[in-house]
Structures are given as structure tokens and as C-alpha cells.
């Protein structure tokens, strides 16, 4: 790279947060270079797997119905994070989300009505037409029109921090090492969940059996490099968002289609054919998020969902067809479960079921077992009607919480001073806002809001220096 | 039923993935119809395939396209089933199989059309007519073109009946058809759900180019067709035989239709050449280009005939133009032209659900 085309500003990453930062900075007049580790077909990180973002609004806005106020939004957030929330930054994200929607439309994103099967989100979450990859494509078009340069398969390996300033960035592309020295740097390279060794260090060896729902490129290389050099950290490496997904899903990038919504209508057993938790505890999405951890705690980090014919059409279909058998014995054999133990578990469960006339698939119906441990407190119907169906379950990690600590200007810090030319946006700083738990659609909100803030601040710094 | 099971199976595999995902729901009418099912029979897939107009929005937005192991390419999977259904449902079936994907055969048919008209002009002659009828008498033209017009209508009628049964559409209601025609008239689905058009000639960039080219072809064709119809009425009902003056209804309709047809077909071929062929039906590219070429040639030869109708070239031009028209009509049920009828049928079936 020659001196004349040295960019004013480098954005590390190629997902939602990176693109929002790059577009905002380019509109402020900065010459921007995006360094994206993935090849073009896989550009866009986890953002390419998303479907919506959560948006405050007063009155109907775009695809959103009714209103969703700051207080209600914050209350929803506090509920899922158990209070582990930085209220100032959370309010900033929530308040700014309203102006994001028209901004996104102006920059090419298109919305659609809430998807079939997700009516509960129609008021709070705006769905992207075509999903996250459609969004990412639109942003790349917009960015390129603004003169942003994009380097694919460009993995950043090191940021050189001297005092309170990043002096240069090293990255590799096509097996060669390159060095750039921009005036400002925005880090938007996501979490570290794709590095299963790191996950195993934090979680124990069980983590080797986890599946990663999103991109294989978020390996936390930049995060580790900056934390090693003393940049302020937030969050705890053992915290990650994990759900139970189909055990046949690919190791990486299985995305949304591997989720299983059938747990409430099932019994879930471990590899010894024993039940281990109340399958009827709660309605979606809460039940969804706890099962990742429950399965992670079972031997070999695997679970098995068993349902019968009457429940097959009560939940959204998933990508792989269920394993099907006419008898429980045959099902046990096909799923590699001990047949006798499974028969016993099912018989005990069936015997504990009572009156099922109040069964209601979409509400907590109170149709519960009696005298069983663990109990099933809702939707407890005996498993009797062949054919029987089974799915295997594994832990699917969505993202990690360990990240860079930023202030309300998205700026990183070292000791108690800001790093003068370093900003962070998206998942890599999301821990600054929520320490645990997750609210559907908030990841894209954080990326959009803080991406835009980081882009604006980083461009102002570059323009002034 | 002789549709290819491997094509159906591949479409089924992909439809099941889409049904678990649903991210593309807003692009077109395929997805709401798809999401209403849980299992996909061959008839369901045939119907979905004919609802798809290959705008490719769902390909470029898909997070599961190759190199991802799920290898999604829904536009292609549906195009293959669609193409196969046109071949399989054609009457007679052998003609569908022969022409749909075969550009060379379409060109050969056109040349045979020219030759036939030359032969007719020479052998049957004018029998004392004026203008074009000095080349070939009115009665001879009717004798050739009436069957050439009735045959495709009968053939397509039979195919649509087969289609209706194949997709298990149930009883037909007129209200469905009205709704479907309205959707087809403004090509709502070609707007891509968000009004920005489709992805065709430049990867994931949305544009209206394909929709506009298609509108030009469709309305150009309808205007030309109207010109012939008006002339027929003038000839028989009003006793006003051709030739007609420049400001007469048949000439005005035909002229504007011809221009639209030529522009539309030229643009369509340009767009097709720039598009990614792996998102269309396997092996059908040549047949499609030949068909659009033939249609454009019908328009062009008609315009040239208008321009040079008073010169010594007229008899030659007339034979070429009429030969092209003849080939076009006879091949209608067996070329891409059939898509218009199937698509209308698919929209009608969908409107009844
Ligand atoms: C299946 C799935 C569904 C989801 N659905 C939703 C949803 O509907 N709504 C929602 O709000 N959130 C959702 N999330 C969470 C959401 O994906 C994230 O919160 C969001 O995408 C984070 O955006 P980001 O830009 O910070 O990171 P990413 O989009 O992951 O981008 C990180 C980028 O950094 C690049 N990168 C990594 N390391 C390097 C390096 N060393 N050098 C250069 N580049 C590097 C990556 O290639 C990638 O392009 C979902 C997540 C998953 C996995
Ligand atoms: S084409 Fe891809 S993104 Fe669209 S619905 Fe199907 S699987 Fe989902
Ligand atoms: S190609 Fe276009 S019309 Fe066909 S299914 Fe995809 S989005 Fe719908």
C-alpha cells in the first residue's frame, strides 16, 4: 500500500457494526478502509444470520405497530439481564434506536412485516427483508458508493498500542503481512466464540462439544491482542449466550434454521435416557435460552427430545427432519439410547400425567405432572401415540460477552484514560451494556447505535488530525 | 406423471430449509405459500415453482448459499422444477420436451416457417388481391393462420387443465382469476416486495430493468395482437379490407406494439446475457434466448415491412415476417411463451388459497 492511499480510518470487521461505522465516517468525509477477515461470500459475521432489531418508537414506525417506550424497553432489558445492565449506555442505545430505523432505510435496508410464527415481536422488533444478509449486502453497496474500500480475507493480527494511541495495524491477506497506520481505528470484530480453545479455557473441556451458531471468523484475535496490552475489559469470559439446537447442525454457521421449538411439548432426556429438567417451565423465548446451559451440563453435552405424533405439528419446523419410529424401542435404537431406560422414563412420565383437557400449546396451561422429579409443569401430555419422533440437542453458542469497555462515545480506555484513536462497536463491546442474559434484537441495536457513534467520533478525530 | 424426481427432491430439500428460516417471506408470493405447508408434495412444489418469477432476491439474501454446506439456490431449484413442469405438461408432450430448452430447434422452426410462406406465396399466389394480398391471397392467409392460432390455444388449454389437476387446485372460481390478472397486470411480484425491483443483471443490486423490459415485451405483444384483432374485425365485420393507412387503428397499434416489442426483447436479451446463469433453469438458457430472439424478430420484421412495404422487397419481407409469426404461434405452448399462461394459472390457484 502506498502512502497516498493510506486511509484516514480503518474499520476492523465486516458486520453490521463495522458497516454502520464505515458509512457514517465516509459521510463525514473520511477515507475509510474495511478489513474483513472472511472471504466475500461469508462477509458480514454474525450479522448475516440475524433477522431483526429491537426499536423504541412512539406510534407506528415502518413495519412496527403501536408504541414501545424507553421505559418499557429498559424494563424488558433489566428483566433478562437480572440487573446486570449499564443503565446509562442502555438508555443511550434504546433512545437512539428510534432514529436508526429511518437511517437504515436511507442506507438501503428494507423491512418486512413480522415473520409468520413471530407475531409476539411485531410491536418491538423490525424485521429485515431477506434477513441479515440482505441488510449487509445493502450496506456494502452503500459503503462502496461512498468510496469506502473493502479488503476481504484480511485478518487483523495486531494493533500496536503506544501510550494512549494505536500507531499501526498488522493484517494478513493472501499469505502476506501488511501494515497500515491510519489516524483512527474502529474495532467491530465481534466476540471470540469461534475459538473453541478459548471457550474451553473459560468453560472447561465440555466446550469442545459446543456448536457455534454463527461465523467461524469471530475468533477474538483483536480482542485478545488489545486486552493483552492493557486496554480496559468488561464482562466475564464464562458468560455466553447459548441455546439448545439440533445436534446434527454443522459446527459453524448453522444459523437460525437449526433451532428447535419442540421442547415444551416433549420430554428431554440425557444419554442415559433420564430426564433432568422441567420441560414445561416457560414459554418462548425464555425456555429457549436456558436449555443451552442445561444440555451443556449433561454427559457428553448432549440431550434427546422425545415427542409423539400428536405434538408434531405444534412447533415451527426445523432444518433436519426428526428421527421417526413406530415404537419407543425402535426410536431408542435409532437414537443410540438405552431402550429399557427410555421405556421406563416414558412410562413414569406417562403415569404422572393427569387430566390433559386443559392443554393449550401457546399459553402456560398448568397441565402438569404429579409426583414426578423433575416435574413438568405445563403441557404435560403422555407420550403414547405412534409414530414417535426424536431430535438430538446440543449447545449452540450465539456470542460471548467478554469485551472492550467503552464510554458513551464508544471510545476504548486504558487505565482511566481514553485511548485517543480507538473506538469499538457491536458485539465486541456489548458487554459494556449487558453483563448477562439477552433480549431478542438488542445485538443489532447495539451494533447500529454504537457503530454510528464510533464512525462519527473516529471520523471527527481523523479530520482534526 | 413423468417429472424428474431428482429435481423435485432437490426443491423439496431447499423448501424445507426455507420453511425453517422464513427470512425471505416478504419478497414474493412463493414464501407465504411455502410457509403454509409443512410437507411438500410434488404438486405443491410444482405450484411454488410456477409462482416464482426468478427475481433472485432470495438467492442474494440467503446466508446458506454455496460454499455453505446447505447449498441453497432456491431460484435455480424452482426454475428447474418449473421448466420440467412445462415440458411434462405440454400437449403433445414430445413437443414440450423437444423445444423448451433447444434454441437451435426454435431457429430451425422459424426457418421452416419462412420456407413455408415462400412456398405458399409461389404456389397459391395472389388470386387478384392488392397490397399484401397481392403476394398471398387473404383466403390463403386465413387457411394457414387460423389453424396456427387455434392449435396453440387448444394445446395450452389442455396443459392448464393438466396443471390444475397436478397441483390439486380444487374447484375454479372466477374471483380468483380476476385477482390473479390484476396481480399480473402490474407485475407486483417483480417489484421484489419492497418496490426496488429484482436482482438480475448486477448481483445483489436491485433494479427495475428486468421488470421494465418484461412490461415492454408484454404490452408490445398485446398491442400487436390487438392490431391483428382490430384488422380482423375491420375486415369481416366492417367490410374494410387491408391495406390500412398510417393513422388507422391497426397501423397505430401495430407500430407502437412493434417498437415496444423490439426494444423490450433487445433489453431482455442484454439483461439475460449479464445475469448469472447458474440461478436459472439448468440447460434452458439457449432456448430462452432463442425464444426472446424470435419474438423480437417478429416485431422487427413487422416494422421493416411497414417501412419498406411500398418497395420491391415487400414480397420477400412479407414471407419472412409471416413465417416468423407462424413459427412463433405454433411454438407458443412449447417455448418460454408458455410461462405467461402457467404463471397466471399459478396466481389463480394461489388466490384461491
Ligand atoms: C444465528 C444467529 C441469529 C441472530 N439473530 C439476531 C437477531 O435477529 N437480532 C439481533 O439483534 N441479533 C441477533 N443475533 C446476534 C447478532 O448476530 C450480533 O449481535 C450482531 O450481528 C453483532 O454484530 P457485529 O457487527 O458486532 O459482529 P459481526 O456481525 O459478527 O461481525 C464481526 C466481523 O468481524 C470480522 N472479524 C473477526 N475477526 C477479525 C479479524 N481478526 N480481522 C478482521 N476481521 C475480523 C468477522 O469476519 C465479521 O465480519 C444473532 C446471532 C446468531 C448467531
Ligand atoms: S432462501 Fe435462504 S434466507 Fe431465504 S428463506 Fe430460504 S433459507 Fe432463508
Ligand atoms: S427468485 Fe424471487 S420470485 Fe423466486 S422465490 Fe426467490 S424471491 Fe421469490
Amino acid at each position: 500500500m502506498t502512502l497516498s492511499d493510506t486511509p484516514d480510518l480503518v474499520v476492523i470487521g465486516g458486520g453490521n457494526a463495522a458497516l454502520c461505522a464505515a458509512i457514517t465516517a465516509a459521510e463525514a468525509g473520511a477515507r475509510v478502509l474495511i478489513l474483513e477477515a472472511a472471504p466475500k461470500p461469508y462477509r458480514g459475521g454474525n450479522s448475516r444470520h440475524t433477522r431483526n432489531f429491537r426499536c423504541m418508537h412512539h406510534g407506528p414506525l415502518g413495519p412496527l405497530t403501536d408504541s414501545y417506550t424507553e421505559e418499557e424497553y429498559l424494563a424488558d432489558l433489566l428483566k433478562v439481564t437480572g440487573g446486570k445492565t449499564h443503565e446509562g449506555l442502555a438508555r443511550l442505545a434504546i433512545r437512539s434506536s428510534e432514529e436508526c430505523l429511518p437511517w437504515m432505510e436511507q442506507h438501503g435496508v428494507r423491512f418486512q412485516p413480522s415473520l409468520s410464527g413471530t407475531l409476539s415481536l411485531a410491536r418491538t422488533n423490525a424485521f429485515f427483508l431477506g434477513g441479515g444478509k440482505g441488510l449487509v449486502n445493502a450496506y456494502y453497496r452503500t459503503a462502496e458508493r461512498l468510496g469506502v474500500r473493502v479488503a476481504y480475507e484480511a485478518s487483523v493480527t495486531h494493533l500496536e498500542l503506544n501510550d494512549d494511541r494505536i500507531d499501526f495495524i498488522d493484517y494478513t491477506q493472501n499469505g502476506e503481512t501488511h501494515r497500515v497506520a491510519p489516524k483512527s481505528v474502529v474495532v467491530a470484530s465481534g466476540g471470540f466464540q469461534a475459538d473453541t480453545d478459548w471457550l474451553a479455557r473459560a468453560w472447561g473441556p465440555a466446550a469442545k462439544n459446543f456448536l457455534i451458531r454463527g461465523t467461524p471468523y469471530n475468533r477474538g484475535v483483536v480482542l485478545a491482542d488489545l486486552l493483552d496490552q492493557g486496554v480496559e475489559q468488561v464482562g466475564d469470559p464464562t458468560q455466553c449466550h447459548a441455546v439448545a439446537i439440533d445436534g446434527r447442525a454443522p459446527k459453524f454457521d448453522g444459523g437460525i434454521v437449526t433451532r428447535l421449538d419442540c421442547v415444551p411439548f416433549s420430554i428431554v432426556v440425557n444419554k442415559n435416557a433420564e430426564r433432568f429438567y422441567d420441560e414445561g417451565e416457560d414459554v418462548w423465548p425464555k425456555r429457549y435460552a436456558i436449555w443451552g446451559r442445561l444440555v451443556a451440563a449433561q454427559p457428553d453435552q448432549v440431550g434427546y427430545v422425545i415427542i409423539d405424533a400428536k405434538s408434531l405439528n405444534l412447533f415451527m419446523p426445523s432444518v433436519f427432519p426428526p428421527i421417526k419410529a413406530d415404537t419407543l424401542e425402535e426410536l431408542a435404537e435409532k437414537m443410540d439410547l438405552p431402550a429399557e431406560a427410555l421405556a421406563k422414563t416414558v412410562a413414569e412420565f406417562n403415569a404422572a400425567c393427569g387430566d390433559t383437557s386443559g392443554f393449550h400449546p401457546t399459553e402456560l396451561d398448568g397441565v402438569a405432572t404429579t409426583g414426578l422429579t423433575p416435574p413438568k409443569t405445563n403441557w404435560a401430555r403422555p407420550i403414547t401415540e405412534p409414530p414417535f419422533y426424536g431430535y438430538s440437542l446440543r449447545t449452540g453458542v450465539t456470542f460471548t460477552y467478554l469485551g472492550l469497555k467503552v464510554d458513551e462515545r464508544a471510545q476504548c480506555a486504558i487505565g482511566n484514560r481514553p485511548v485517543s484513536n480507538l473506538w469499538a462497536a457491536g458485539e465486541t463491546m456489548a458487554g459494556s451494556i449487558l453483563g448477562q442474559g439477552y433480549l431478542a434484537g438488542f445485538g443489532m441495536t447495539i451494533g447500529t447505535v454504537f457503530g454510528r457513534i464510533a464512525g462519527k467520533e473516529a471520523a471527527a478525530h481523523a479530520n482534526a488530525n | 406423471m413423468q417429472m424428474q424426481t431428482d429435481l423435485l427432491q432437490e426443491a423439496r430439500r431447499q423448501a424445507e430449509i426455507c420453511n425453517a428460516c422464513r427470512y425471505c417471506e416478504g419478497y414474493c408470493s412463493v414464501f407465504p405459500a411455502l410457509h403454509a405447508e409443512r410437507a411438500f408434495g410434488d404438486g405443491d412444489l410444482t405450484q411454488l415453482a410456477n409462482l416464482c418469477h426468478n427475481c433472485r432476491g432470495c438467492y442474494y439474501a440467503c446466508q446458506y448459499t454455496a460454499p455453505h454446506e446447505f447449498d441453497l439456490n432456491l431460484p435455480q431449484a424452482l426454475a428447474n422444477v418449473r421448466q420440467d413442469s412445462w415440458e411434462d405438461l405440454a400437449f403433445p408432450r414430445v413437443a414440450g420436451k423437444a423445444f423448451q430448452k433447444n434454441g437451435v430447434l426454435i431457429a430451425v422452426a422459424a426457418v421452416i416457417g419462412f420456407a413455408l410462406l415462400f412456398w405458399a406465396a409461389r404456389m397459391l399466389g395472389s388470386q387478384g388481391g392488392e397490397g399484401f394480398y397481392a403476394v398471398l391471397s387473404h383466403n390463403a392467409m386465413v387457411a394457414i393462420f387460423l389453424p396456427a392460432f387455434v392449435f396453440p390455444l387448444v394445446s395450452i388449454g389442455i396443459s392448464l387443465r393438466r396443471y390444475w389437476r397436478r397441483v390439486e387446485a380444487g374447484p375454479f372460481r372466477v374471483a380468483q382469476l380476476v385477482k390473479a390478472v390484476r396481480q399480473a397486470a402490474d407485475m407486483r411480484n417483480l417489484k421484489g416486495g419492497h418496490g426496488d425491483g429484482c436482482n438480475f443483471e448486477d448481483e445483489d443490486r436491485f433494479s427495475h430493468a428486468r421488470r421494465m423490459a418484461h412490461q415492454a415485451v408484454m404490452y408490445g405483444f398485446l398491442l400487436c395482437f390487438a392490431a391483428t384483432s382490430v384488422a380482423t374485425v375491420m375486415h369481416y365485420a366492417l367490410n374494410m379490407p387491408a391495406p390500412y393507412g398510417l393513422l388507422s387503428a391497426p397501423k397505430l397499434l401495430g407500430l407502437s406494439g412493434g417498437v415496444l416489442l423490439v426494444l423490450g426483447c433487445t433489453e431482455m436479451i442484454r439483461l439475460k446475457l449479464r445475469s448469472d446463469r447458474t440461478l436459472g433453469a439448468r440447460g434452458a438458457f439457449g432456448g430462452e434466448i432463442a425464444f426472446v430472439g424470435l419474438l423480437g424478430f417478429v416485431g422487427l420484421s413487422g416494422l421493416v415491412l411497414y417501412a419498406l412495404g411500398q418497395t420491391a422487397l415487400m414480397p420477400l419481407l412479407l414471407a419472412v415476417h409471416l413465417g416468423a409469426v407462424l413459427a412463433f404461434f405454433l411454438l407458443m405452448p412449447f417455448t418460454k411463451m408458455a410461462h405467461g399462461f402457467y404463471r397466471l394459472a399459478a396466481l389463480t390457484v394461489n388466490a384461491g388459497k
Side-chain angles (χ1 to χ4, degrees):
Chain A
M1 189 171 296
T2 63
L3 211 58
S4 67
D5 54 35
T6 295
D8 299 325
L9 198 158
V10 164
V11 177
I12 304 172
N16 175 55
L19 289 160
C20 290
I23 289 170
T24 306
E27 283 179 340
R31 284 175 307 160
V32 181
L33 171 66
I34 288 179
L35 298 176
E36 159 64 301
K40 193 177 172 196
Y42 283 127
R43 70 184 181 186
N46 278 356
S47 302
R48 63 203 288 284
H49 284 291
T50 63
R51 55 184 187 177
N52 62 33
F53 88 112
R54 188 171 285 253
C55 183
M56 176 186 96
H57 55 109
H58 297 93
L61 176 68
L64 298 165
T65 55
D66 217 344
S67 303
Y68 188 44
T69 63
E70 181 176 334
E71 294 311 319
E72 191 185 355
Y73 197 148
L74 186 68
D76 286 345
L77 191 61
L78 293 175
K79 233 182 294 169
V80 296
T81 56
K84 281 201 181 178
T85 311
H86 185 300
E87 187 175 328
L89 293 182
R91 281 188 187 272
L92 174 61
I94 291 170
R95 240 177 259 148
S96 312
S97 66
E98 188 167 26
E99 63 181 48
C100 285
L101 194 142
W103 185 89
M104 294 162 83
E105 282 183 326
Q106 279 155 25
H107 294 85
V109 177
R110 294 293 174 263
F111 293 95
Q112 63 186 342
S114 190
L115 304 179
S116 52
T118 65
L119 266 185
S120 58
L121 296 173
R123 182 171 66 90
T124 54
N125 290 42
F127 284 74
F128 319 132
L129 182 58
K133 188 168 171 201
L135 170 139
V136 162
N137 287 346
Y139 280 157
Y140 274 102
R141 287 267 171 194
T142 302
E144 278 159 22
R145 210 166 40 240
L146 291 166
V148 172
R149 283 182 299 148
V150 181
Y152 295 107
E153 300 180 59
S155 293
V156 173
T157 51
H158 176 61
L159 283 73
E160 180 74 11
L161 180 69
N162 273 320
D163 275 344
D164 62 353
R165 185 172 188 284
I166 302 292
D167 280 346
F168 58 82
I169 298 171
D170 285 338
Y171 67 96
T172 57
Q173 194 181 28
N174 304 322
E176 277 176 51
T177 304
H178 304 265
R179 180 165 289 181
V180 278
K183 295 174 191 157
S184 307
V185 181
V186 175
V187 179
S189 45
F192 69 85
Q193 66 279 357
D195 183 350
T196 39
D197 291 335
W198 190 344
L199 274 184
R201 283 199 299 279
W203 258 82
K208 293 271 182 192
N209 283 334
F210 295 174
L211 303 175
I212 310 304
R213 301 177 66 209
T215 181
Y217 297 95
N218 288 1
R219 302 177 51 82
V221 174
V222 173
L223 181 61
D225 178 66
L226 288 172
L227 296 183
D228 283 350
Q229 296 179 74
V231 174
E232 285 296 300
Q233 129 176 9
V234 67
D236 138 16
T238 65
Q239 283 297 320
C240 65
H241 181 263
V243 301
I245 60 173
D246 195 309
R248 295 164 291 179
K251 180 76 183 172
F252 294 103
D253 256 339
I256 192 83
V257 298
T258 61
R259 72 166 166 350
L260 283 174
D261 287 356
C262 53
V263 167
F265 310 117
S266 74
I267 59 166
V268 179
V269 298
N270 60 19
K271 69 175 225 183
N272 304 322
E274 301 152 345
R275 287 178 63 247
F276 51 89
Y277 197 81
D278 176 4
E279 300 89 349
E281 187 181 59
D282 210 341
V283 282
W284 193 93
K286 195 178 161 197
R287 62 160 195 256
Y288 188 53
I290 59 175
W291 281 88
R293 281 168 181 274
L294 290 171
V295 170
Q298 294 305 311
D300 291 349
Q301 295 71 51
V302 56
Y304 301 89
V305 195
I306 314 286
I307 59 171
D308 69 358
K310 61 181 174 291
S311 297
L312 186 66
N313 291 333
L314 295 178
F315 52 92
M316 281 268 289
S318 67
V319 61
F320 303 110
I323 292 161
K324 179 178 168 184
D326 287 328
T327 64
L328 281 169
E329 255 169 26
E330 188 191 336
L331 189 69
E333 191 182 315
K334 283 187 173 170
M335 299 185 76
D336 241 349
L337 287 169
E340 249 171 63
L342 183 67
K344 183 163 164 277
T345 300
V346 172
E348 280 171 12
F349 171 78
N350 288 352
C353 291
D355 176 14
T356 61
S357 59
F359 175 79
H360 196 298
T362 54
E363 287 167 16
L364 292 171
D365 63 4
V367 173
T369 54
T370 38
L372 189 71
T373 2
K376 183 172 178 186
T377 51
N378 289 287
W379 310 293
R381 294 195 297 178
I383 300 200
T384 47
E385 211 177 286
F388 301 99
Y389 297 93
Y391 295 92
S392 61
L393 286 179
R394 282 193 181 278
T395 302
V397 180
T398 322
F399 52 78
T400 48
Y401 286 93
L402 175 74
L404 301 168
K405 186 174 165 59
V406 301
D407 60 13
E408 69 288 345
R409 294 163 68 199
Q411 196 158 14
C412 297
I414 183 157
N416 48 16
R417 317 160 280 160
V419 181
S420 64
N421 65 345
L422 184 66
W423 291 263
E427 212 141 272
T428 203
M429 49 61 75
S432 303
I433 304 173
L434 51 164
Q436 65 174 42
Y438 181 64
L439 190 59
F442 199 47
M444 291 298 277
T445 305
I446 292 175
T448 310
V449 169
F450 284 89
R452 291 177 61 201
I453 293 173
K456 179 171 156 240
E457 298 289 334
H461 176 85
N463 291 343
N465 284 273
Chain B
M1 162 94 131
Q2 298 174 0
M3 281 183 67
Q4 296 179 35
T5 47
D6 56 332
L7 300 181
L8 286 163
Q9 189 46 39
E10 175 59 11
R12 183 174 296 117
R13 180 189 76 85
Q14 298 198 24
E16 283 170 355
I17 297 177
C18 292
N19 208 14
C21 169
R22 310 202 165 183
Y23 282 12
C24 293
E25 193 159 274
Y27 275 125
C28 68
S29 47
V30 170
F31 291 96
L34 194 158
H35 299 157
E37 309 284 337
R38 187 128 187 150
F40 302 95
D42 293 349
D44 300 326
L45 292 166
T46 305
Q47 164 67 6
L48 292 174
N50 279 283
L51 274 179
C52 167
H53 52 87
N54 202 239
C55 79
R56 303 163 176 215
C58 66
Y59 174 82
Y60 291 107
C62 183
Q63 64 273 30
Y64 298 123
T65 51
H68 194 286
E69 63 187 86
F70 291 168
D71 194 16
L72 257 282
N73 183 347
L74 193 65
Q76 186 203 44
L78 293 182
N80 283 338
V81 169
R82 185 166 62 240
Q83 187 77 33
D84 195 39
S85 74
W86 299 341
E87 291 176 24
D88 185 51
L89 297 170
F91 174 83
R93 198 169 271 139
V94 283
K97 297 249 180 253
F99 289 105
Q100 273 291 355
K101 287 185 189 153
N102 199 325
V104 176
L105 265 195
I106 292 174
V108 168
V111 173
I112 293 175
F114 305 154
L116 189 74
L117 265 292
F118 282 124
W119 175 83
R122 173 148 301 169
M123 300 306 288
L124 306 177
S126 80
Q127 297 168 353
E130 301 173 38
F132 296 155
Y133 302 138
V135 181
L136 186 63
S137 78
H138 183 260
N139 287 345
M141 282 199 198
V142 171
I144 293 171
F145 278 93
L146 192 63
F149 183 64
V150 172
F151 163 72
L153 283 187
V154 172
S155 164
I156 284 170
I158 292 172
S159 293
L160 291 185
R161 237 173 87 98
R162 287 177 172 175
Y163 181 81
W164 201 265
R165 293 212 181 122
R166 172 72 53 85
V167 306
E168 298 165 23
F172 168 81
R173 284 176 291 117
V174 178
Q176 287 169 245
L177 182 63
V178 172
K179 198 168 153 195
V181 169
R182 223 182 290 136
Q183 287 186 5
D186 73 345
M187 291 183 202
R188 177 181 308 163
N189 284 292
L190 279 176
K191 289 178 197 162
H194 44 35
D196 296 342
C198 53
N199 298 149
F200 198 73
E201 67 282 4
D202 183 16
E203 297 190 354
D204 62 17
R205 188 169 70 86
F206 290 94
S207 95
H208 287 290
R210 180 162 175 259
R211 178 159 162 259
M212 280 161 60
H214 190 285
Q215 295 280 49
V217 175
M218 185 175 87
Y219 285 111
F221 174 77
L222 290 176
L223 284 170
C224 292
F225 193 72
T228 314
S229 307
V230 168
T232 310
V233 171
M234 286 169 76
H235 184 95
Y236 287 105
L238 307 178
N239 200 18
M240 293 168 62
Y244 304 110
L246 190 64
L247 289 180
S248 65
K251 284 254 155 125
L252 286 178
L253 289 170
L255 211 56
S256 51
V259 170
L260 270 182
L261 202 53
V262 172
L263 291 178
C265 288
T266 312
E267 171 71 354
M268 192 59 105
I269 288 177
R270 189 184 72 87
L271 296 175
K272 275 186 189 293
L273 289 173
R274 286 177 56 180
S275 70
D276 182 344
R277 290 178 207 180
T278 61
L279 307 194
R282 202 161 63 195
F285 190 77
E288 286 183 12
I289 292 282
F291 163 73
V292 182
L294 175 60
L295 187 52
F297 186 76
V298 167
L300 184 68
S301 57
L303 290 178
V304 174
L305 189 60
Y306 274 131
L308 304 179
Q310 309 301 326
T311 69
L313 285 174
M314 188 273 275
L316 176 75
L317 291 171
L318 184 69
V320 166
H321 177 62
L322 292 181
V325 172
L326 184 66
F328 170 78
F329 268 106
L330 285 175
L331 292 183
M332 188 141 90
F334 317 116
T335 53
K336 183 75 192 256
M337 187 69 188
H339 84 276
F341 299 93
Y342 285 103
R343 175 147 183 81
L344 196 60
L347 288 173
T348 309
V349 172
N350 201 43
K353 292 220 161 142

